[in-house]
Amino acid sequence: MSSRHLAVLLYGRHVADLEQTRGGQHLLNYRSDPGATPISLTMPLAGGPFAQRVVDPFLDGLLPERQAAREAMSREFDVSARNPFALLAHMGLDCAGAVQFCAEDEVADVLARRGTLVAGRSTSTSVCRPRGAPACRRPSRASSGSTARRR
């Protein structure tokens, strides 16, 4: 099995590359771009490459805190709920904030904002995805573990 890569985009710029090695380690390398902004204060532009000890807490912070939500995502994408790289490979365009993750061959389309609008149940769940990217299904309220009672 070879290593896998994701492009890291910030404010519409390809600023770094994220690698998952054959052994499952996560490494982040910034690209040569003097005008780039670091994606985290714990990973300054001049300090890389950054290893799993620093990278994984950042990646985990982009994902849902609730384990049940991560497990639902992992079932949807058939990946491990404990692997932030695998989850971000599928939903990295929908991260909170300005950071995005995508396959290297999708960078041009993402930066050009070419894609299709995929509407969820409400306009608040509509997202723009690159052409051909699978839509993420949201779990139904009944299966989300909500304890709210209906009247």
Side-chain angles (χ1 to χ4, degrees):
M1 179 173 141
S2 64
S3 63
R4 296 172 50 199
H5 295 85
L6 290 175
V8 182
L9 311 177
L10 184 68
Y11 302 118
R13 295 171 82 165
H14 184 178
V15 297
D17 296 298
L18 180 63
E19 176 185 3
Q20 179 172 278
T21 67
R22 292 178 204 178
Q25 299 291 308
H26 301 132
L27 306 171
L28 184 121
N29 284 297
Y30 284 107
R31 298 167 58 88
S32 297
D33 184 351
T37 301
I39 62 171
S40 171
L41 293 175
T42 62
M43 294 182 281
L45 293 174
F50 296 95
Q52 187 154 337
R53 177 180 62 80
V54 177
V55 174
D56 276 9
F58 173 76
L59 299 178
D60 281 333
L62 297 172
L63 297 168
E65 241 178 76
R66 281 189 37 225
Q67 189 61 28
R70 287 188 190 205
E71 288 171 2
M73 290 167 48
S74 74
R75 284 190 301 274
E76 174 69 26
F77 302 125
D78 196 27
V79 298
S80 171
R82 295 182 313 237
N83 184 341
F85 183 98
L87 292 169
L88 289 169
H90 292 280
M91 53 76 57
L93 293 177
D94 299 331
C95 293
V99 69
Q100 295 178 301
F101 298 83
C102 67
E104 292 175 323
D105 62 348
E106 294 176 343
V107 171
D109 282 342
V110 171
L111 293 179
R113 299 181 189 265
R114 290 187 294 258
T116 57
L117 188 64
V118 179
R121 293 184 188 168
S122 69
T123 55
S124 65
T125 60
S126 298
V127 295
C128 187
R129 300 185 186 281
R131 290 185 188 122
C136 176
R137 289 193 322 245
R138 306 262 188 235
S140 69
R141 289 181 186 250
S143 65
S144 68
S146 174
T147 58
R149 295 183 181 165
R150 295 187 182 194
R151 295 178 186 212

